[in-house]
Amino acid sequence: MKILIVIGDGMADRSADELGGKTPLQYAKMEFVNSVVKDSMVGLMDPIAPGIRPGSDTSHLSILGYDPFEVYTGRGPFEAAGLGMELKPGDIAFRCNFATADDKLIVKDRRAGRIKEGTQELVKEINGMEIEGVKFFVKPGVEHRAALVMRGGNLSPYVSDADPHKVGEKVKEVKPLRKDAEFTAKVLNEFLKRAREILSEHPINKERISRGLPPANILLPRGAGVVPELKSVEERYGIKAASVVGIPLVKGICRLAGMYCADLPTATGSYDTDYEGKIKKAVELLKNGYDLVLVNYKAPDLAGHDGDAEKKVWVLENIDRGLRHIEGEDILFIFTADHTTPCNFKDHTGDPVPILIHGEGLRKEGVEKFDEISVIKGSMRIRGRDIMNLALNYAGYAEMFGA
Ligand code: ZN
Ligand code: ZN
């Protein structure tokens, strides 16, 4: 059997007053999911460990079988990989904003007016700069977003952010957080200074000023991390894996795990994503040489952060509509969340999330509904890092341990 893992990002929730005490999953009309749940194995999963509040990055690492405590130092490398940057183990990577600062380095706009065009031109002048044997690479993303990579020399990810995270505050000097990070902080500060000088004088910014737009005259890196050496999913499990993901962070994790990342322009990573197209694409990949496909829907997490339980219900019903496209396919279907994002908390919590595993010939546990409460009647109580082993076992790929 081929394996489809669908992650409703932040899909799990807590009981919400505005839904009469139900969770969004309890409240939503999940027609497809609830039509297969009786014939599935269900239960609860701690994405990392009980009570640990997962980020989307650390949780997806865990779900793909990695130990985030071992391989994760910050989100920078995954953002950079998500933008398609070529990375090497040991590189230090940051997520970055193009921002606007005045002569006294006071941040006037953290997003340079959500700059729409010109960032490709702007980075040309600074990309590839070398300082004391360290090379710097910058790649723009959507609008003001970018990633910065440092390569070469004895580098450390333990440096602070230059981003003050607030308008009206002074750009921060990057500080070493450990003794062995002094060199990294020093060359990074030097790079940021030179980049600032070049960007301030750049014709694109002069033109922006003449049009009354805030210039993108400074780079604000944050979220430093070292690029880990990850054994690919194929090397570890002997299967070919792909993903259908909208957001760069999770895309970057899949890329660093050696998975093929499908290019689906309508997968926006937002509320308006292509709910059906993502599953259609996944099924197509499974029919064309891939053994496992991971799909991530970001929208439930956005609704959780927005504190909008009704919107979350709407998103879940759309995901359910997308999932209908696996009907009749011989697929091992795993449906779960990477963490809980309760609408009444507006951020991730360490609660366990519901999980469902459905496939031909497996145990049918007879649980009536798929939600945080109903699945307690099921058999599973697992951690995220168990998913790959369970998937390989139920899909028939697992090798026997012993004789
Ligand atoms: Zn997430
Ligand atoms: Zn989130």
Side-chain angles (χ1 to χ4, degrees):
M1 246 187 296
K2 300 294 182 103
I3 302 162
L4 174 67
I5 302 177
V6 178
I7 308 288
D9 204 303
M11 170 173 74
D13 212 297
R14 293 176 177 170
S15 309
D17 289 343
E18 59 270 54
L19 302 178
K22 291 184 173 179
T23 70
L25 259 179
Q26 279 182 302
Y27 193 89
K29 288 188 187 68
M30 304 293 282
E31 281 176 25
F32 175 76
V33 171
N34 286 329
S35 74
V36 300
V37 68
K38 267 199 271 331
D39 298 340
S40 305
M41 305 179 59
V42 297
L44 288 172
M45 175 178 86
D46 293 294
I48 295 177
I52 301 287
R53 294 175 58 204
S56 291
D57 42 16
T58 48
S59 175
H60 278 80
L61 282 166
S62 181
I63 287 167
L64 289 171
Y66 302 99
D67 179 355
F69 293 108
E70 214 171 83
V71 301
Y72 185 87
T73 47
R75 78 186 271 177
F78 306 103
E79 292 281 355
L83 289 183
M85 291 181 91
E86 291 298 330
L87 301 172
K88 294 184 175 163
D91 287 353
I92 306 298
F94 305 78
R95 51 200 298 235
C96 226
N97 273 14
F98 281 98
T100 308
D102 68 9
D103 300 344
K104 296 189 177 70
L105 293 185
I106 304 297
V107 174
K108 293 290 169 191
D109 187 331
R110 275 188 75 243
R111 302 181 178 93
R114 289 192 178 272
I115 181 166
K116 295 279 184 295
E117 49 200 23
T119 52
Q120 298 284 357
E121 289 295 310
L122 284 169
V123 301
K124 268 191 196 154
E125 307 289 324
I126 50 178
N127 196 22
M129 194 190 289
E130 190 170 333
I131 299 170
E132 294 190 43
V134 178
K135 278 201 155 194
F136 292 83
F137 303 96
V138 184
K139 181 157 183 176
V142 177
E143 296 183 340
H144 54 280
R145 300 179 190 91
L148 166 68
V149 170
M150 301 172 71
R151 178 174 302 154
N154 204 357
L155 298 176
S156 162
Y158 299 104
V159 291
S160 65
D161 297 348
D163 188 348
H165 296 271
K166 250 193 199 144
V167 170
E169 287 194 9
K170 199 169 173 201
V171 175
K172 292 213 153 55
E173 195 185 328
V174 176
K175 293 265 184 347
L177 302 174
R178 285 180 6 182
K179 192 107 183 91
D180 60 3
E182 278 172 4
F183 173 72
T184 308
K186 188 185 90 174
V187 289
L188 178 55
N189 281 319
E190 179 60 26
F191 167 77
L192 294 174
K193 182 171 151 263
R194 289 193 205 174
R196 200 164 66 232
E197 287 161 7
I198 292 167
L199 293 174
S200 302
E201 294 303 315
H202 200 286
I204 285 198
N205 276 328
K206 295 211 155 141
E207 199 241 357
R208 283 182 71 81
I209 293 168
S210 74
R211 284 162 58 204
L213 296 170
N217 59 9
I218 195 162
L219 283 173
L220 294 179
R222 64 188 193 276
V226 61
V227 175
E229 183 135 38
L230 297 185
K231 245 185 162 190
S232 72
V233 170
E234 188 166 353
E235 279 175 279
R236 296 184 62 167
Y237 302 108
I239 54 169
K240 278 184 74 104
S243 64
V244 185
V245 172
I247 52 164
L249 179 65
V250 176
K251 227 182 218 178
I253 284 167
C254 294
R255 218 166 250 156
L256 285 176
M259 297 163 74
Y260 167 72
C261 292
D263 192 24
L264 189 67
T266 51
T268 58
S270 191
Y271 291 125
D272 62 353
T273 197
D274 189 352
Y275 292 92
E276 298 188 55
K278 288 180 95 151
I279 299 297
K280 283 191 207 164
K281 185 79 199 173
V283 170
E284 182 193 314
L285 290 165
L286 291 172
K287 285 181 174 166
N288 287 284
Y290 289 96
D291 304 305
L292 177 147
V293 174
L294 180 137
V295 175
N296 170 286
Y297 284 108
K298 185 64 182 167
D301 185 53
L302 302 178
H305 286 286
D306 288 345
D308 192 339
E310 278 163 30
K311 187 86 184 217
K312 201 166 186 179
V313 168
W314 177 83
V315 166
L316 294 173
E317 291 174 352
N318 275 296
I319 293 175
D320 184 77
R321 190 162 50 79
L323 289 171
R324 275 173 218 171
H325 292 281
I326 64 170
E327 212 163 355
E329 305 288 345
D330 185 21
I331 285 173
L332 182 81
F333 168 50
I334 301 182
F335 187 41
T336 188
D338 59 341
H339 47 77
T340 299
T341 311
C343 293
N344 60 17
F345 189 76
K346 296 186 182 177
D347 209 343
H348 307 183
T349 61
D351 311 20
V353 301
I355 178 167
L356 166 162
I357 302 182
H358 180 268
E360 203 43 48
L362 305 188
R363 292 176 190 162
K364 303 173 195 285
E365 295 184 345
V367 172
E368 298 282 329
K369 264 182 104 269
F370 181 73
D371 59 60
E372 297 85 344
I373 315 301
S374 304
V375 298
I376 295 170
K377 297 192 193 104
S379 66
M380 278 188 284
R381 183 71 210 221
I382 61 166
R383 293 191 185 193
R385 63 170 187 236
D386 299 322
I387 285 195
M388 287 301 288
N389 286 334
L390 292 172
L392 295 183
N393 172 54
Y394 292 124
Y397 292 92
E399 302 221 353
M400 190 150 61
F401 175 50

